[in-house]
Amino acid sequence: MHSKILVTGGLGYIGSHTSVELIQQGFEIIIVDDLSNSSTEVLEGIKKITGVSPEFIKLDLKNKNEVNQLFDNHPDLIGIIHFAAYKAVGESVNQPLEYYENNIGSLVYLLQAIEKKGQRFSFIFSSSCTVYGQADQLPITEEAPIKKAESPYGNTKQIGEDILYDVTRSNTLLKVISLRYFNPIGGHSSIEIGELPKGKPQNLVPFITQTAAGIHQKLNVFGDDYPTADGTCVRDYIHVVDLAKAHVVGFKRMLADEQSENFEVFNLGTGKGNSVLEVIKTFEKVSGVSLNYEIVDRRQGDIVAAYADTSKANKVLGWHAKNDLEVSLKTAWEWEKKIRNI
Ligand code: UD1
């Protein structure tokens, strides 16, 4: 019997890239996904890259019985990387209860099933830089205070971290690393997997690539009157494969019992901030496509600037983001071209 890692939301954007890295590092994984924002075709991509067809179970983690059954049927699970969650900020404002039920309910059921096992268990949680809100100091360290969440989505990340922290205090067999992602972009260099937003994308990079592909007539740039160098908002755009690799490093850290505390948090970013206009210019450079864009009003809830202080992840995990903005945008564009047959 081999020990296995459960990857929830493993067919999603970050989940699929992390599944590839785990398999390539010799881990056996079980992917569960409710397919609410993904498709089984992603399994083909994972297989093409790794040569391995991971076990896949279609499962809704909001169903407590199914979660318990999953754990009963797989006594060989030693850990989890928990990606499965709703993530659309605007939608969460309109449907808060669905967000709390899905993102918090599922987490609680998983933790109850883990506790029932009564064994050592490693847990990686997908968190977000959204927990910092508009930080008072840049770059943002893990010590920056948690600000009141702007949206129910953001609140589910804060509450999720609180729940995990509390449970590590009552259950010392539980080891947790919470990874606070800055802005993940790009796709796998093989172009077998990438970002597949359902419906109209809300995030900048998929909107850029779709506009370049002719799906949208123009890109709206939300505000150019912010107190930044060129007036547009600044973010830390990190290549999804770099992000994925950090999960494997974090998981190994827990397995090797190297944590300084049972609950640890790490920022995952490049450490570099880029404005919306810089992203557009860099995209135009790497793609050779001239983007049709227009400056429009600010988007409600947007923060001015956020980029990571990555020294904790660099020093403690020995992890560094390797890909720069050009590579990230190039892979995002290659993927878009592939799925649109351009
Ligand atoms: C958003 C969420 C964040 C969440 C993350 C998940 C908000 C306020 N924040 O991050 O909580 O964790 O998504 O992926 O929604 N932009 C445009 N035009 C567009 C789209 C975006 O100008 O069509 C700008 C935005 O104003 C922002 C930047 O591009 O300055 C990045 O936006 P986006 O990709 O949506 O990410 P965040 O807002 O940073």
Side-chain angles (χ1 to χ4, degrees), residues 87 89-90 127-131 150-151 153-154 157 181-185 195 201-208 219-223 226 232-235 237 276 280 298-304 306:
K87 61 168 187 178
V89 176
S127 189
S128 166
C129 67
T130 194
V131 301
E150 289 273 351
S151 69
Y153 157 76
K157 294 298 173 192
Y181 313 149
F182 281 67
N183 291 55
I185 62 166
E195 189 166 10
Q202 307 299 315
N203 295 117
L204 178 64
V205 171
F207 209 98
I208 286 178
L219 164 78
N220 288 326
V221 173
F222 298 133
Y226 285 98
T232 62
C233 295
V234 168
R235 298 287 186 273
Y237 295 94
V276 177
I280 292 172
R298 291 180 175 193
R299 179 172 72 177
Q300 208 195 335
D302 264 339
I303 55 165
V304 181

Side-chain angles (χ1 to χ4, degrees), residues 4-7 28-32 55 57 70 74 77:
K4 289 182 183 159
I5 305 176
L6 185 65
V7 184
E28 260 194 72
I29 64 170
I30 304 174
I31 293 177
V32 301
E55 186 176 349
I57 304 168
L70 174 74
H74 296 90
L77 288 174

Side-chain angles (χ1 to χ4, degrees), residues 256-300:
D257 220 355
E258 287 169 354
Q259 286 182 292
S260 55
E261 289 161 34
N262 282 349
F263 178 87
E264 294 180 318
V265 298
F266 295 97
N267 285 342
L268 297 181
T270 63
K272 196 172 178 315
N274 285 108
S275 72
V276 177
L277 291 178
E278 281 172 338
V279 174
I280 292 172
K281 284 197 192 91
T282 309
F283 177 81
E284 291 183 326
K285 182 180 160 202
V286 299
S287 68
V289 178
S290 168
L291 265 185
N292 184 23
Y293 69 89
E294 186 189 349
I295 311 288
V296 299
D297 286 346
R298 291 180 175 193
R299 179 172 72 177
Q300 208 195 335

Side-chain angles (χ1 to χ4, degrees), residues 308-335:
D309 181 324
T310 60
S311 36
K312 186 177 176 194
N314 298 159
K315 278 190 208 124
V316 178
L317 296 179
W319 168 91
H320 292 84
K322 297 216 169 75
N323 295 294
D324 63 13
L325 187 63
E326 287 197 11
V327 172
S328 299
L329 290 171
K330 201 166 172 40
T331 55
W333 179 230
E334 294 303 323
W335 170 250

Side-chain angles (χ1 to χ4, degrees), residues 27-320:
F27 288 101
E28 260 194 72
I29 64 170
I30 304 174
I31 293 177
V32 301
D33 201 300
D34 68 357
L35 302 179
S36 63
N37 195 23
S38 60
S39 99
T40 50
E41 279 168 40
V42 177
L43 279 171
E44 292 304 312
I46 295 173
K47 188 178 172 198
K48 276 197 187 143
I49 300 168
T50 62
V52 174
S53 248
E55 186 176 349
F56 167 66
I57 304 168
K58 180 175 183 299
L59 191 142
D60 184 348
L61 298 168
K62 291 196 293 295
N63 186 324
K64 187 173 178 170
N65 290 335
E66 284 189 31
V67 172
N68 284 330
Q69 224 167 51
L70 174 74
F71 276 75
D72 288 345
N73 292 343
H74 296 90
D76 45 359
L77 288 174
I78 54 159
I80 180 170
I81 305 191
H82 181 43
F83 294 104
Y86 295 158
K87 61 168 187 178
V89 176
E91 185 182 73
S92 80
V93 175
N94 297 322
Q95 303 166 15
L97 292 175
E98 309 219 352
Y99 272 68
Y100 287 116
E101 181 187 30
N102 188 50
N103 294 7
I104 303 299
S106 306
L107 176 64
V108 171
Y109 298 153
L110 285 167
L111 286 169
Q112 285 172 328
I114 290 164
E115 194 153 276
K116 213 169 85 192
K117 271 172 81 77
Q119 288 165 10
R120 193 192 156 87
F121 207 84
S122 301
F123 197 122
I124 289 194
F125 181 62
S126 283
S127 189
S128 166
C129 67
T130 194
V131 301
Y132 300 117
Q134 178 56 68
D136 301 324
Q137 281 183 347
L138 293 170
I140 304 172
T141 71
E142 290 82 355
E143 306 302 317
I146 302 296
K147 296 266 176 81
K148 181 164 169 46
E150 289 273 351
S151 69
Y153 157 76
N155 208 18
T156 65
K157 294 298 173 192
Q158 295 187 4
I159 296 169
E161 286 197 359
D162 286 347
I163 290 172
L164 285 158
Y165 172 71
D166 288 343
V167 178
T168 55
R169 293 210 300 170
S170 71
N171 172 9
T172 53
L173 294 171
L174 181 68
K175 315 290 165 191
V176 177
I177 288 182
S178 181
L179 298 176
R180 294 177 178 162
Y181 313 149
F182 281 67
N183 291 55
I185 62 166
H188 199 269
S189 58
S190 65
I191 333 176
E192 295 296 348
I193 55 173
E195 189 166 10
L196 275 174
K198 270 196 182 162
K200 205 173 181 180
Q202 307 299 315
N203 295 117
L204 178 64
V205 171
F207 209 98
I208 286 178
T209 55
Q210 287 194 5
T211 305
I215 294 160
H216 309 292
Q217 201 242 322
K218 69 174 171 69
L219 164 78
N220 288 326
V221 173
F222 298 133
D224 70 348
D225 56 353
Y226 285 98
T228 60
D230 64 21
T232 62
C233 295
V234 168
R235 298 287 186 273
D236 184 336
Y237 295 94
I238 174 168
H239 193 274
V240 67
V241 173
D242 283 326
L243 195 72
K245 287 180 194 294
H247 293 73
V248 183
V249 177
F251 203 86
K252 286 183 175 169
R253 174 173 172 82
M254 291 187 284
L255 285 186
D257 220 355
E258 287 169 354
Q259 286 182 292
S260 55
E261 289 161 34
N262 282 349
F263 178 87
E264 294 180 318
V265 298
F266 295 97
N267 285 342
L268 297 181
T270 63
K272 196 172 178 315
N274 285 108
S275 72
V276 177
L277 291 178
E278 281 172 338
V279 174
I280 292 172
K281 284 197 192 91
T282 309
F283 177 81
E284 291 183 326
K285 182 180 160 202
V286 299
S287 68
V289 178
S290 168
L291 265 185
N292 184 23
Y293 69 89
E294 186 189 349
I295 311 288
V296 299
D297 286 346
R298 291 180 175 193
R299 179 172 72 177
Q300 208 195 335
D302 264 339
I303 55 165
V304 181
Y307 50 94
D309 181 324
T310 60
S311 36
K312 186 177 176 194
N314 298 159
K315 278 190 208 124
V316 178
L317 296 179
W319 168 91
H320 292 84

